[in-house]
Amino acid sequence: MSQLDSCANSTHITALDMSTPKYIDVATYNRLQDFKLNYAHVHGYLSTAVCVVGILANIANVVVLNKKHMRTSTNIILMWLAVADLCTMAEYVTFALQFYVFKEDGMPSIFHTRTYGWMCYLLFHANFSLSMHSISIWLTIMLATFRFIYIFLYSRANKYCSTRHAKMVIFIIYISAVLLCIPNYISNYWELTNVTNTVTGENETVFTFSQRKYGLYIHIFDMNYWIQSMLIKLVPCVLLTILTIMLILGLRKAHHNHVQLKSQGMRNDDVEKHHEHYRTTGMLLAVVILFLIVELPQGIMTLLMIFMPELYNEVYNPLGDIFDIVALLNNAVNFVLYCSMSKQFRDTFIVTFCKCFTLDEEREKWRNNTLITQRNGASMRRLSKQQVNGSLGQMV
């Protein structure tokens, strides 16, 4: 996610003559470098503000989605996705403040520091952010896969997409993400180096972010590159693209069924059931599409860098902070989607966090309506032979 992750992804990168970029013209290269330097002055403040808002939003997501009446397989995935996003942004605040807002004077880049403790933290940031980002990616794929099963394999949805299976897969994703990042943990390292102080012009010895990529570590370094390129960038982007297309087709199918039911004069309960299914699919599709918009450019760039490694220095690195802020915005925006597209989420949020603005009579009425809806939903699922939505207690 961060520029440190970008650096970890760049294997076999040859030294670039800054005056003669290979794949872009000199003017474009200079503009990108100027943009990187100018944006770095505001990135720390902007990313910190986004993270603070995102932390509060994801805390609300976790609390609301963890309510007893909200615990469905889909909501469990969304809750643990919020946990991963919350951890990412909580850790990024420290990184942004130290290395952007209160950065050390005279250091040539964020990869250098005079303090051993902050170098250890920089290594932790590179490893932790990559792990959390990997978890978010695969949880989003899991979310889209569960919705695909609900739409196209609804007769087996209750079996395959139970809350028990959701918890098992979430646990596997969290553990697997950590295991897959072990080569990255081993590769990342620090070393002492001499740099020229950009303020005083004097030489001094500082700690710098480095990687073990020679001798016995060359195979681990190469393994780390291919794991990140394939399992964290390219494969997830391909899967998300396919699942997005399938969910769009499913959304059209749900809309067609909704219109058909209304034209046939079906019961209002059945019509509303299909409408809820349509809204749920639309909301989850929005979550997946936003994630794909963030990940696809980096996935394409990663693919190109396999064949054109100089692109890292020419394009990818200058845009590293932009990739970061876009990813942070994506981590913070899900709360807005849930509130705008889920009445149940809105009602639960208001009752949970806005008690001072909600009368006791209104809260009691809401609780009773929720219990009645759950009981009616359970009865309808038992009586219905066609499991259209699979779980009405989802985000609808």
Side-chain angles (χ1 to χ4, degrees):
M1 176 180 170
S2 68
Q3 291 190 62
L4 295 176
D5 302 330
S6 303
C7 180
N9 286 339
S10 57
T11 187
H12 303 313
I13 294 177
T14 58
L16 178 67
D17 182 356
M18 298 304 178
S19 62
T20 57
K22 185 174 181 180
Y23 296 108
I24 59 176
D25 59 84
V26 175
T28 301
Y29 175 79
N30 291 332
R31 282 195 293 267
L32 285 174
Q33 295 299 322
D34 290 339
F35 171 80
K36 175 185 176 181
L37 293 175
N38 293 329
Y39 176 71
H41 296 300
V42 300
H43 176 73
Y45 300 96
L46 185 59
S47 59
T48 300
V50 171
C51 285
V52 170
V53 174
I55 289 170
L56 297 175
N58 279 288
I59 289 175
N61 289 340
V62 172
V63 172
V64 171
L65 295 173
N66 197 42
K67 293 293 183 180
K68 186 175 181 179
H69 66 277
M70 298 285 287
R71 293 177 190 168
T72 63
S73 58
T74 299
N75 288 354
I76 289 173
I77 301 172
L78 292 174
M79 185 188 73
W80 284 102
L81 178 61
V83 170
D85 292 343
L86 174 62
C87 292
T88 298
M89 289 185 287
E91 188 275 330
Y92 199 91
V93 169
T94 304
F95 170 73
L97 290 175
Q98 172 61 27
F99 292 96
Y100 285 89
V101 178
F102 304 112
K103 62 182 179 179
E104 300 176 57
D105 293 334
M107 292 295 96
S109 75
I110 64 171
F111 300 99
H112 300 85
T113 179
R114 299 182 180 93
T115 309
Y116 174 74
W118 282 117
M119 176 49 62
C120 291
Y121 172 77
L122 196 62
L123 291 172
F124 168 77
H125 167 75
N127 295 326
F128 183 81
S129 61
L130 178 65
S131 300
M132 289 297 104
H133 189 57
S134 305
I135 290 170
S136 296
I137 290 173
W138 285 101
L139 284 180
T140 304
I141 293 174
M142 177 185 174
L143 182 70
T145 302
F146 268 45
R147 200 60 198 173
F148 170 82
I149 294 175
Y150 275 130
I151 295 173
F152 296 98
L153 301 171
Y154 52 79
S155 62
R156 304 178 184 178
N158 287 341
K159 176 182 177 181
Y160 294 150
C161 301
S162 63
T163 56
R164 178 173 173 271
H165 287 168
K167 292 177 181 178
M168 289 175 58
V169 177
I170 290 170
F171 178 78
I172 292 173
I173 287 176
Y174 267 78
I175 297 300
S176 299
V178 174
L179 294 178
L180 286 175
C181 291
I182 287 178
N184 188 71
Y185 306 155
I186 298 175
S187 296
N188 291 341
Y189 190 60
W190 61 266
E191 62 184 4
L192 291 172
T193 185
N194 293 320
V195 299
T196 302
N197 190 305
T198 58
V199 175
T200 65
E202 299 177 353
N203 290 332
E204 58 180 307
T205 302
V206 299
F207 298 96
T208 184
F209 182 89
S210 183
Q211 290 183 297
R212 300 181 176 99
K213 51 185 176 181
Y214 303 107
L216 297 176
Y217 294 101
I218 183 63
H219 301 296
I220 296 177
F221 184 81
D222 289 341
M223 182 190 304
N224 177 44
Y225 172 76
W226 288 108
I227 286 176
Q228 291 193 42
S229 297
M230 301 305 296
L231 297 182
I232 301 179
K233 296 293 184 182
L234 300 181
V235 172
C237 284
V238 172
L239 290 178
L240 282 176
T241 301
I242 295 174
L243 289 169
T244 297
I245 295 173
M246 299 305 296
L247 287 178
I248 291 174
L249 295 176
L251 200 63
R252 294 182 59 185
K253 176 183 176 182
H255 178 70
H256 175 75
N257 291 339
H258 177 67
V259 173
Q260 189 176 25
L261 282 175
K262 292 183 68 175
S263 65
Q264 292 175 353
M266 298 294 287
R267 292 184 310 171
N268 290 335
D269 288 344
D270 291 333
V271 174
E272 180 61 23
K273 184 178 180 181
H274 279 267
H275 185 56
E276 290 173 347
H277 170 69
Y278 178 79
R279 286 185 300 177
T280 301
T281 303
M283 187 200 67
L284 299 180
L285 179 62
V287 173
V288 174
I289 288 178
L290 284 176
F291 208 96
L292 182 61
I293 291 174
V294 173
E295 292 301 318
L296 190 58
Q298 296 187 53
I300 294 174
M301 190 69 66
T302 300
L303 178 62
L304 293 176
M305 285 192 300
I306 294 176
F307 307 100
M308 299 181 292
E310 293 85 357
L311 278 179
Y312 171 77
N313 288 322
E314 294 182 14
V315 179
Y316 197 103
N317 187 45
L319 297 177
D321 287 341
I322 293 297
F323 288 143
D324 273 12
I325 194 64
V326 171
L328 292 172
L329 286 169
N330 181 60
N331 292 345
V333 77
N334 286 345
F335 175 79
V336 177
L337 290 177
Y338 302 159
C339 284
S340 62
M341 304 184 72
S342 169
K343 184 178 184 301
Q344 187 183 24
F345 185 92
R346 289 196 304 272
D347 292 342
T348 306
F349 174 80
I350 291 173
V351 171
T352 303
F353 292 99
C354 306
K355 293 182 179 179
C356 57
F357 301 105
T358 309
L359 298 177
D360 292 338
E361 296 81 1
E362 293 178 350
R363 292 202 299 271
E364 187 64 28
K365 180 180 178 181
W366 179 85
R367 291 192 186 97
N368 292 334
N369 287 339
T370 300
L371 291 174
I372 292 172
T373 301
Q374 288 178 326
R375 290 166 183 164
N376 290 342
S379 300
M380 289 172 63
R381 286 195 296 272
R382 286 195 297 269
L383 294 175
S384 176
K385 294 182 180 180
Q386 186 177 11
Q387 299 286 341
V388 179
N389 191 30
S391 176
L392 294 180
Q394 303 185 98
M395 304 285 294
V396 293

